[in-house]
Amino acid sequence: MTPSLQRLTIVGLGLLGGSVARAARTRRAAAEIVAVGRTPGPLAAARAAGVVDRTTTDLAEGVGGADLIVLCAPVGALPGLVRAAWPHLAPGAVLTDVGSVKGAVVAAAEACPSRDGVVFVGGHPMSGSERSGFEAAQADLFVGRLTLLTPTARTPEAAVARVSRFWETLGSQVRLLSAEEHDRAVAAVSHLVHLAAFALVAAAADDALALAGPGFQDTTRVAASAEALWTDIFRGNRTPLLDALADYRARLAEWEALIRDGKWEALEAELAQARKRREKLG
Amino acid sequence: MTPSLQRLTIVGLGLLGGSVARAARTRRAAAEIVAVGRTPGPLAAARAAGVVDRTTTDLAEGVGGADLIVLCAPVGALPGLVRAAWPHLAPGAVLTDVGSVKGAVVAAAEACPSRDGVVFVGGHPMSGSERSGFEAAQADLFVGRLTLLTPTARTPEAAVARVSRFWETLGSQVRLLSAEEHDRAVAAVSHLVHLAAFALVAAAADDALALAGPGFQDTTRVAASAEALWTDIFRGNRTPLLDALADYRARLAEWEALIRDGKWEALEAELAQARKRREKLG
């Protein structure tokens, strides 16, 4: 199979960037894979592993000449990276990202001067791990997972198609939605869920934690995630997260009242509804 | 190895009772295994699978002559089962259970008339599954898991030793604590965690749920659990659960304020503390 991309550049070789590199190499998504990083460690590791052809710490050099550039940096750094990369992109290049929050980065790209058919398409693979760093990167991280793309009314279809094809090559299914819809939905199914898991651990006393069984382990697995990354995400999605948190706290308050008042049938009906919705997810 | 028990009786062949039967048979914990159930289906399935020697729907007949009797019924049914079984137990018999709440069943046993060296020891294997019923039973469900026993000041050491040895034979590690300590701790690390997971699903809109990734799947796995069993547990542990829920809601309210006020360093410090405590659990 001929790779559909001539040159793929990945900016940032953490868990996600490293996994994109490994997956792209394994699945021959590009003839050449270039990595841009700030520190030499992950870049050297990626070269040694053979998952990238060339690395650089110079953003302008790394993104120049690529037909697809994937920004794999923390959410808070993405708008600045879009602005910094933009003047150095080759004509017709498509820039995308893997950030968990889309509003700010999409807005930053929309504010960049129009030039040479360069296009930004916001992206977010719904994959991850409580682990971080290049050493945790996996070639199959995206297989069978959704990747969400957030084109705007102005995004050319060909650019969306290029990014969609890329994620499909990596084993992912692609869905399109607006940045606003994205940020509201992931606030509920990802950001709040992390916050809730961190809070379950924080609220448990040490003697109780010592008795934790498999249910607690599963429910709080994501609370082993890197706090700096998640603070950055919560900050980037502040308003939708506050909305989702308010809905959640209201639900807990209602159920607390049912328990306090001994309304067990009503509580059981609520739990049944949640159980049925959860079972549909498999 | 000679089985340490002559006759083991298991009352209730759901997920836990069925797993106790399978584990006891596999590990030769008893020369004879008797099962008591209310409906013939699981009893016939257990006989057909060869994991029990004899079954009956008559409680008095099933518990008579056993040296260890394990009650594996829903939490709300346990106090009544202790009272119903008590007069039919053989001299020197030890009665135990697997209930997730210990206060009421321990109190019910303490209120039974003293007779013939018959002893109750409250028990709770910290194992489980979101699945239920005999068909989900597994012989290795208790391997590497904690089982909590809640003897009182009046419980003879020999009875605690018999129940401890039984769970250790099934692959579990045993820890002793008071029923009150137990109920407070499991409210935080099990009961609240289930309630929180059900509420995360309930609070998410359908369009958001459709985008759920692996983090959501893990965090809410326990929300696929049977609502009737969990309502029964919440009811049985009402006050400790309300206390744990109040602590949790207070924590969420504090973090909501940090997010609203943009106190990101303070939030990150809280998340870091939770992350470190979670990592210790493995």
Side-chain angles (χ1 to χ4, degrees):
Chain A
M1 199 182 79
T2 312
S4 58
L5 300 171
Q6 276 307 305
R7 184 185 295 170
L8 166 69
T9 292
I10 298 163
V11 179
L13 279 185
L15 169 76
L16 283 172
S19 297
V20 169
R22 287 193 179 280
R25 173 68 10 123
T26 304
R27 291 167 176 262
R28 299 172 189 276
E32 185 187 14
I33 304 180
V34 177
V36 180
R38 286 182 307 175
T39 51
L43 298 179
R47 280 196 314 272
V51 300
V52 300
D53 300 297
R54 194 157 60 76
T55 65
T56 174
T57 55
D58 184 322
L59 180 68
E61 182 197 330
V63 303
D67 33 10
L68 184 69
I69 302 94
V70 188
L71 302 176
C72 302
V75 160
L78 292 170
L81 273 175
V82 167
R83 285 188 290 266
W86 198 260
H88 307 288
L89 299 174
V94 175
L95 180 65
T96 186
D97 76 315
V98 298
S100 303
V101 186
K102 299 269 62 78
V105 67
V106 169
E110 294 272 298
C112 286
S114 153
R115 56 167 288 258
D116 303 331
V118 167
V119 177
F120 176 81
V121 182
H124 178 202
M126 298 289 284
S127 321
S129 165
E130 71 281 13
R131 301 180 60 203
S132 52
F134 179 76
E135 62 279 10
Q138 302 166 43
D140 61 354
L141 193 69
F142 311 107
V143 174
R145 303 297 184 191
L146 271 184
T147 293
L148 308 177
L149 302 184
T150 61
T152 70
R154 291 163 51 191
T155 313
E157 276 185 28
V160 177
R162 191 184 300 177
V163 181
S164 296
R165 199 160 51 233
F166 176 70
W167 286 108
E168 285 161 4
T169 304
L170 269 44
S172 197
Q173 285 120 36
V174 170
R175 196 169 303 183
L176 309 184
L177 73 175
S178 73
E180 193 188 356
E181 289 169 325
H182 171 278
D183 289 355
R184 200 173 54 231
V186 299
V189 295
S190 172
H191 305 170
L192 171 63
V193 164
H194 280 73
L195 196 75
F198 279 116
L200 282 170
V201 177
D206 282 328
D207 60 342
L209 270 194
L211 307 181
F216 188 85
Q217 302 266 28
D218 281 354
T219 308
T220 62
R221 181 185 62 78
V222 298
S225 302
E227 61 273 7
L229 283 175
W230 281 94
T231 302
D232 187 51
I233 290 169
F234 297 157
R235 183 177 191 159
N237 207 24
R238 186 167 161 272
T239 303
L241 174 61
L242 285 172
D243 290 345
L245 182 51
D247 288 348
Y248 180 53
R249 289 186 55 216
R251 189 67 58 133
L252 289 173
E254 280 169 34
W255 291 6
E256 183 172 303
L258 295 179
I259 294 169
R260 198 185 324 108
D261 301 342
K263 296 189 172 163
W264 306 113
E265 279 182 31
L267 180 65
E268 185 172 334
E270 295 268 324
L271 302 183
Q273 204 174 7
R275 191 258 304 154
K276 284 174 201 156
R277 297 178 78 217
R278 176 61 186 81
E279 278 180 344
K280 277 190 209 152
L281 303 181
Chain B
M1 196 182 83
T2 313
S4 57
L5 300 172
Q6 276 307 305
R7 184 185 295 171
L8 166 68
T9 292
I10 298 163
V11 180
L13 280 186
L15 169 77
L16 283 172
S19 296
V20 169
R22 286 193 180 279
R25 172 67 14 120
T26 303
R27 292 168 175 261
R28 300 171 188 277
E32 185 187 13
I33 303 180
V34 177
V36 181
R38 286 182 305 174
T39 50
L43 298 179
R47 281 197 314 272
V51 300
V52 300
D53 301 296
R54 195 155 60 76
T55 66
T56 173
T57 55
D58 183 322
L59 180 68
E61 182 198 329
V63 302
D67 32 12
L68 184 69
I69 302 94
V70 188
L71 303 176
C72 303
V75 160
L78 292 170
L81 273 174
V82 168
R83 284 188 290 266
W86 199 260
H88 307 289
L89 299 174
V94 175
L95 181 65
T96 187
D97 76 314
V98 299
S100 303
V101 185
K102 299 270 59 81
V105 66
V106 168
E110 294 271 297
C112 286
S114 153
R115 55 167 289 258
D116 303 331
V118 167
V119 176
F120 176 81
V121 182
H124 178 202
M126 297 289 283
S127 321
S129 165
E130 71 280 13
R131 302 180 60 204
S132 52
F134 179 77
E135 61 280 11
Q138 302 166 43
D140 61 356
L141 193 69
F142 311 107
V143 175
R145 302 298 184 191
L146 271 183
T147 294
L148 308 177
L149 302 184
T150 62
T152 69
R154 290 163 50 192
T155 314
E157 277 184 27
V160 177
R162 190 183 301 176
V163 182
S164 296
R165 200 161 49 234
F166 176 70
W167 285 108
E168 285 161 3
T169 304
L170 268 46
S172 197
Q173 286 119 37
V174 171
R175 195 169 302 183
L176 309 184
L177 73 175
S178 73
E180 194 188 355
E181 288 168 326
H182 170 278
D183 288 355
R184 200 174 54 232
V186 299
V189 295
S190 173
H191 305 171
L192 171 63
V193 165
H194 280 74
L195 196 75
F198 279 117
L200 283 170
V201 177
D206 281 328
D207 60 342
L209 270 193
L211 305 181
F216 189 86
Q217 302 266 29
D218 281 354
T219 307
T220 62
R221 181 185 62 78
V222 298
S225 302
E227 60 274 7
L229 283 175
W230 281 93
T231 303
D232 187 51
I233 290 170
F234 297 157
R235 182 178 193 159
N237 206 24
R238 186 169 163 272
T239 303
L241 174 60
L242 284 171
D243 290 345
L245 181 51
D247 288 348
Y248 180 54
R249 289 186 56 215
R251 190 67 57 135
L252 289 173
E254 281 170 33
W255 291 5
E256 183 172 305
L258 295 179
I259 295 168
R260 198 184 324 108
D261 301 341
K263 296 190 173 164
W264 306 112
E265 279 183 31
L267 180 65
E268 185 173 334
E270 295 267 324
L271 302 184
Q273 204 173 9
R275 191 258 305 154
K276 285 173 200 156
R277 297 178 76 218
R278 177 60 186 81
E279 278 180 346
K280 277 190 210 154
L281 303 181

